[in-house]
Amino acid sequence: MRRVTTGVIEAPPDRLRSCACTQAQLQSEVFQGWVTRIGERPLRMHRKIWEYCFIAQALHERGMLEPGRRGLGFAVGHEPMPSLFASFGCEIVATDVATEQARKAGWVETDQHADSLEALNRRGLCDPERFRRNVSFRFADMRAIPADLGSYDFVWSSCSLEHLGTMALGKRFVEQSMKHLKPGGVGVHTTEYNLGSNLFTLTRGSTVLFRKRDLREIAARVERLGGHVDLDFTEGDLPFDRVVDKPPYQHEVHLRLRVKAFVATSFGLIVEKASEPASP
């Protein structure tokens, strides 16, 4: 992928599938183009950076990052996505949990919570005037999505659905978020993925770890609701894929991490909602 003078990033011939974070993907020209665009350090091997690149590329490939497209972000914290998407001309509604609820969960103290519009353009990725025109903010709980949020061309969440208290709530969120997609819309969500076991995992608490079986269940639920998820469980085999960051995390090489008894990484889910049937 090349960065071009217009600021638009070209899509590769093969579109992304729902997959796990790997060194090869993060260091690819495709993802490094997004790394530069969001102001991160080139070739830093961190799964959070991979998540941002994955979400952006998945939406870009599917024609979502265009003027006039409408996007809805969940639990946006201080991530760069609302500002990035607004810079493409998208109209964005960014949401996060109410401040007092976030404080109880510890998100405020760790600077992972947004409580106003001003917090969302910290990196200056979007012209301030365009940002104010294209982005709005409201409180919303992923466990009980307000019905009046409306419908959008795309929705997204970055490493949030595993922090809802139980795995069941995370699975339910993916289903509920589909209700806010227009026909033909796209949802992209990243979450924690258990690399070591398809049997044992963490299913409740502050962080849950999704297994292959759980992601397959989500895909089956999406299919029943008229959507599609194309799963790819390929794991990386390059040197940084074999580095496991252990608590207290150093975050310098952080593609894989130890979470209690398990080794985890990030996994990106791409949910594509079916288009309306063609008129006879």
Side-chain angles (χ1 to χ4, degrees):
M1 182 181 70
R2 296 185 178 88
R3 286 182 57 79
V4 295
T5 55
T6 60
V8 176
I9 300 177
E10 297 174 356
D14 299 319
R15 296 201 309 180
L16 286 180
R17 301 170 65 192
S18 299
C19 65
C21 168
T22 65
Q23 177 185 339
Q25 196 170 61
L26 181 52
Q27 72 185 20
S28 70
E29 191 178 357
V30 174
F31 275 44
Q32 286 301 302
W34 290 111
V35 167
T36 300
R37 178 127 192 175
I38 63 176
E40 291 286 351
R41 192 178 80 214
L43 296 177
R44 184 184 177 206
M45 293 293 110
H46 199 290
R47 67 195 184 95
K48 177 56 69 175
I49 298 172
W50 175 88
E51 290 175 18
Y52 295 154
C53 296
F54 181 90
I55 294 169
Q57 183 63 19
L59 292 173
H60 176 70
E61 290 174 350
R62 290 157 177 80
M64 294 293 117
L65 301 187
E66 298 175 352
R69 292 286 197 182
R70 299 188 71 237
L72 171 65
F74 292 96
V76 296
H78 292 157
E79 68 183 41
M81 312 317 285
S83 180
L84 174 67
F85 298 155
S87 75
F88 280 89
C90 300
E91 299 173 14
I92 300 299
V93 175
T95 72
D96 211 339
V97 71
T99 303
E100 186 55 37
Q101 191 173 343
R103 183 174 289 108
K104 291 178 181 178
W107 300 119
V108 174
E109 289 74 10
T110 54
D111 202 30
Q112 299 179 74
H113 174 257
D115 61 2
S116 68
L117 191 62
E118 290 72 22
L120 302 179
N121 197 24
R122 284 183 170 185
R123 303 191 189 198
L125 304 183
C126 184
D127 172 77
E129 184 177 344
R130 168 177 272 194
F131 181 82
R132 288 190 295 270
R133 184 171 63 247
N134 285 18
V135 182
S136 60
F137 176 83
R138 63 174 290 182
F139 293 119
D141 189 338
M142 293 171 64
R143 292 169 295 186
I145 303 174
D148 64 350
L149 277 177
S151 60
Y152 298 82
D153 297 294
F154 64 92
V155 302
W156 85 89
S157 67
S158 176
C159 217
S160 300
L161 62 93
E162 71 274 18
H163 298 307
L164 302 184
T166 68
M167 184 175 290
L169 285 172
K171 294 175 180 178
R172 182 176 180 272
F173 162 74
V174 177
E175 293 180 279
Q176 293 298 307
S177 68
M178 282 186 68
K179 295 180 180 180
H180 296 279
L181 282 176
K182 298 177 182 177
V186 178
V188 187
H189 310 283
T190 60
T191 191
E192 305 275 8
Y193 173 51
N194 186 336
L195 284 162
S197 177
N198 197 30
L199 180 60
F200 302 105
T201 197
L202 304 175
T203 61
R204 60 178 56 246
S206 58
T207 301
V208 304
L209 302 178
F210 290 83
R211 301 158 292 190
K212 289 180 182 177
R213 62 196 288 184
D214 304 308
L215 298 173
R216 289 191 176 111
E217 180 186 340
I218 290 174
R221 291 186 182 193
V222 167
E223 294 281 351
R224 289 194 292 271
L225 292 172
H228 179 66
V229 176
D230 183 14
L231 292 168
D232 177 5
F233 291 111
T234 302
E235 296 180 12
D237 58 0
L238 295 180
F240 290 136
D241 294 313
R242 295 190 285 271
V243 176
V244 179
D245 199 4
K246 301 177 179 64
Y249 304 124
Q250 300 303 304
H251 289 284
E252 190 55 35
V253 177
H254 191 73
L255 301 183
R256 297 187 179 189
L257 70 158
R258 175 75 62 178
V259 182
K260 295 189 177 179
F262 305 100
V263 174
T265 189
S266 297
F267 196 97
L269 281 169
I270 304 171
V271 175
E272 298 183 88
K273 189 170 183 177
S275 300
E276 290 179 320
S279 301

